[in-house]
Amino acid sequence: FPSHDNVAYRAAIAAAPEGSAIIYDGYFRITDTVVINRRLNHYCLGENQGIITDVGSTKDALIFLGNDIGVLWGLNGMDINLNVYGAANSCKHAVTLARVDRSHIVLNVRAGAAAYGIRVRGSLINKWDINSSANFLPPASCPVTTAMPLNHMAVENYGVPSASFTSVSVSGPTSPAVVSHTGHAFTSNQPGVS
């Protein structure tokens, strides 16, 4: 199990020039919230790279944080391709994206979040590919092996929940694909925004 701690992870983020990339060469175990407020690309090249959360059920694990919500721009033009793993109640939210705009976001979240696996706050015009699972199936070398609960995603308008999904299914390969949500507050035939 090739692991690095959150001190090494923060050092890598601090050392990377604005607009460059963090390439994950194994797992980083984070034991305290890591806030990323610089425009950096993040790439996990396979399932044996990523973040293992161990921050406790009252803290978010990773927060991508753009500028203050009163400003009309955030972290723009990033590629975020991350695997996030963790045991049951290893974090409050596994990944929070606050004011991340005009980016390509690929998240593979299998972390036992006490609240939501993915929390999106005031982010817009992004291309999303989000995978999350209530059944934790880690890579063979990952040390976390127990199944865990996971509430998948919350979408907020600057901190006020506008929609949350406990289950999402996509049918295809028709074009356009059909996305079905359960556990939401929408009325029948109410249009959504993506």
Side-chain angles (χ1 to χ4, degrees):
F1 168 57
S3 67
H4 311 278
D5 62 15
N6 46 268
V7 174
Y9 186 47
R10 283 191 174 101
I13 291 167
E18 187 87 13
S20 66
I22 303 290
I23 309 290
Y24 293 74
D25 66 348
Y27 299 109
F28 286 91
R29 179 180 299 276
I30 59 173
T31 56
D32 199 8
T33 301
V34 174
V35 177
I36 300 166
N37 57 9
R38 297 173 53 236
R39 190 175 61 83
L40 298 170
N41 300 303
H42 294 258
Y43 296 105
C44 290
L45 303 178
E47 64 182 3
N48 289 311
Q49 292 91 30
I51 300 296
I52 295 181
T53 68
D54 192 12
V55 300
S57 62
T58 62
K59 295 181 181 180
D60 290 1
L62 283 177
I63 301 174
F64 289 87
L65 182 61
N67 287 298
D68 183 89
I69 58 175
V71 178
L72 295 179
W73 46 276
L75 290 174
N76 292 314
M78 295 188 303
D79 284 333
I80 300 172
N81 187 332
L82 275 179
N83 300 319
V84 182
Y85 303 107
N89 293 310
S90 63
C91 57
K92 181 177 180 181
H93 302 102
V95 179
T96 293
L97 301 161
R99 291 312 314 260
V100 174
D101 302 326
R102 297 169 182 85
S103 296
H104 183 200
I105 300 163
V106 179
L107 294 174
N108 178 27
V109 176
R110 290 185 170 93
Y116 291 96
I118 301 145
R119 181 180 182 214
V120 179
R121 300 183 65 208
S123 296
L124 45 90
I125 316 174
N126 289 307
K127 181 177 179 183
W128 301 92
D129 183 359
I130 295 178
N131 303 290
S132 62
S133 175
N135 299 313
F136 184 66
L137 299 173
S141 61
C142 185
V144 182
T145 58
T146 56
M148 65 202 61
L150 171 67
N151 290 320
H152 296 280
M153 185 173 183
V155 179
E156 300 173 357
N157 181 14
Y158 302 125
V160 178
S162 57
S164 63
F165 308 111
T166 57
S167 175
V168 177
S169 63
V170 179
S171 64
T174 60
S175 180
V178 175
V179 179
S180 301
H181 303 284
T182 62
H184 57 74
F186 296 117
T187 59
S188 180
N189 296 318
Q190 179 181 355
V193 178
S194 61

